[in-house]
Amino acid sequence: MASMATLFSKASFPSHSLTKSFDTHFAPSIRVNVAVKNKAKNHQKLRVSGGLIEPDGGKLVELVVEDGKRDLKKGEALLLPRVKLSRIDVEWVHVLSEGWATPLGGFMREREFLQTLHFNSLRLDDGSFVNMSVPIVLAIDDEQKHRIGDSKKVALFDSKGNPIAILNDIEIYKHPKEERIARTWGTIAPGLPYVEETITNAGDWLIGGDLEVIEPIKYHDGLDHFRLSPSELRDEFTRRNADAVFAFQLRNPVHNGHALLMTDTRKRLLDMGYKNPVLLLHPLGGYTKADDVPLDWRMKQHEKVLEDGVLDPETTVVSIFPSPMHYAGPTEVQWHAKARINAGANFYIVGRDPAGMGHPVEKRDLYDADHGKKVLSMAPGLERLNILPFRVAAYDKTQGKMAFFDPSRPQDFIFISGTKMRTLARNKESPPDGFMCPGGWKVLVDYYDSLVLSSNGKVPEAVPV
């Protein structure tokens, strides 16, 4: 089988339908920045435009130093005050280094942090705006701050003591944890996974500056070849003569409802006049909460989906998006969409409750299921991106396959949630025929078997999502 990192798909199922015309943010492809006068209400209908969309600010901001300077930078790093990075910190260095957060040139200084927190956007020097909805920051504690002293630079080291990067022209400022949590998640309820993992026990200071990453970030987990940078993705789309790129993010296994969505999206784009729309199937590869299926198992499942013919390798690129997951709903989905602009996507597929989760305390969803797609259609700095909402898919008992939900006959449909899917796989029960390809389902069953073996039969309960 061809390498999944260069697979292109034409799914053999119809996909979640798009409306005939899209009420979206869209501006001519030669426009990079969004002028202040561009209001959300001035939406334009979709028009066909060849060529890849330009990155925010007009040029990818890539932060890895040149090969010839790496030894020099390693030596310099050994002489500087050190900041030890967590695994999630390294993931953010990865994100910054490849230009996913363009035009950011490093961890946020206070000016950028406050704009992100309060406006979900950054103002550029020419007065235009780009979207930026989640803070990309590095926390330090009092002891680290004291060690840094008056130094204008610090070296960033991973947990194994390897120099990762140098942060230049640094600025240290207070870390307003409660405000950050409230504005990013809309709640300060206990139990938010990312908060507990990275913020609650983090230092009371944030350090920002210009980043020089010594070497490309690698994880040596057998999946690095799937981690294509925005530049590499753009090269691949160009090589394939793509005249439209539509991105689909997922953090769950692919089922036939996803295939339904992806195929129908491509068909609609062809009907609109595009000649070669290409799908970016882009599973999230950074931090996820404990009950999500781990990345390596998800990639195995995606591979089986392709092997079983659910997706065709001619019109889809499969790649890993390195960002950590916040589960911050409408706030975070803007970040997911913005990052894909920098990778060359001019269409972004959004469904029910994107980037959402169950409320950590109450028995309900944390966010309104429709707010994500509504926010994306109005978000500052995303005017150039076409937002593609889709109808709900469910298992149609009359057809024996995934289909678009028909409210006139609700009794004919079964909704299989992520929680139910995990429960079926854990109990080695088969889903209805046509829900997921057999090879992909077996990977899920094998994953839950591995949990039983590693925990002496005690499988952690899934958190409803």
Side-chain angles (χ1 to χ4, degrees), residues 137-365:
V137 292
L138 180 61
I140 59 173
D141 58 25
D142 290 342
E143 182 181 344
Q144 290 172 311
K145 181 176 182 291
H146 178 74
R147 285 204 308 266
I148 293 168
D150 294 330
S151 178
K152 299 298 182 184
K153 297 182 179 183
V154 296
L156 309 183
F157 281 71
D158 66 15
S159 61
K160 296 180 180 179
N162 301 310
I164 297 296
I166 294 173
L167 201 60
N168 298 286
D169 192 20
I170 62 172
E171 176 186 345
I172 297 176
Y173 56 100
K174 288 291 293 182
H175 185 183
K177 295 182 184 180
E178 183 176 0
E179 182 181 4
R180 177 185 173 188
I181 296 166
R183 287 195 170 272
T184 303
W185 282 269
T187 180
I188 55 171
L192 297 168
Y194 187 91
V195 171
E196 293 195 342
E197 189 74 23
T198 67
I199 300 178
T200 301
N201 297 316
D204 292 330
W205 304 93
L206 297 176
I207 181 170
D210 301 323
L211 197 62
E212 291 180 292
V213 181
I214 296 172
E215 291 181 327
I217 301 297
K218 301 295 181 184
Y219 300 88
H220 307 292
D221 57 358
L223 300 176
D224 283 330
H225 60 292
F226 294 124
R227 295 182 174 97
L228 303 182
S229 69
S231 178
E232 290 169 332
L233 285 169
R234 285 174 171 272
D235 288 345
E236 188 64 29
F237 297 144
T238 299
R239 187 179 72 82
R240 292 284 175 156
N241 296 315
D243 58 353
V245 177
F246 57 109
F248 182 65
Q249 171 171 300
L250 67 168
R251 69 174 196 271
N252 290 308
V254 174
H255 57 64
N256 291 346
H258 296 137
L260 185 67
L261 162 65
M262 290 181 266
T263 305
D264 188 72
T265 300
R266 188 169 193 275
K267 179 179 181 297
R268 294 295 181 120
L269 293 175
L270 289 169
D271 290 344
M272 291 171 186
Y274 288 98
K275 302 301 182 183
N276 189 31
V278 169
L279 166 67
L280 172 58
L281 184 63
H282 217 195
L284 185 135
Y287 162 81
T288 55
K289 55 189 174 67
D291 69 312
D292 281 351
V293 177
L295 177 64
D296 57 341
W297 286 95
R298 282 186 278 134
M299 295 306 290
K300 290 177 186 177
Q301 194 269 348
H302 298 347
E303 187 172 9
K304 289 299 181 183
V305 165
L306 290 156
E307 286 181 358
D308 286 5
V310 177
L311 300 176
D312 177 349
E314 295 305 317
T315 55
T316 297
V317 179
V318 180
S319 181
I320 293 172
F321 179 45
S323 176
M325 188 76 190
H326 281 65
Y327 305 92
T331 296
E332 184 175 16
V333 74
Q334 296 174 65
W335 157 243
H336 293 166
K338 173 252 173 42
R340 275 39 180 250
I341 291 177
N342 289 329
N346 54 339
F347 295 87
Y348 187 78
I349 301 170
V350 59
R352 180 190 180 278
D353 197 20
M357 59 172 281
H359 194 285
V361 177
E362 303 172 16
K363 292 184 177 180
R364 62 178 178 86
D365 287 341

Side-chain angles (χ1 to χ4, degrees), residues 108-123:
M108 291 177 174
R109 296 182 175 91
E110 187 174 40
R111 175 182 172 86
E112 296 160 328
F113 173 71
L114 291 176
Q115 289 182 75
T116 298
L117 213 58
H118 293 271
F119 309 136
N120 285 177
S121 61
L122 298 175
R123 185 191 293 271

Side-chain angles (χ1 to χ4, degrees), residues 9 30 105 114 133 161 190 207 215 259 276 310 312 384 399 401 419:
S9 99
I30 59 171
L114 291 176
S133 62
I207 181 170
E215 291 181 327
N276 189 31
V310 177
D312 177 349
R384 298 181 300 129
Q399 300 185 57
K401 65 179 183 179
T419 300

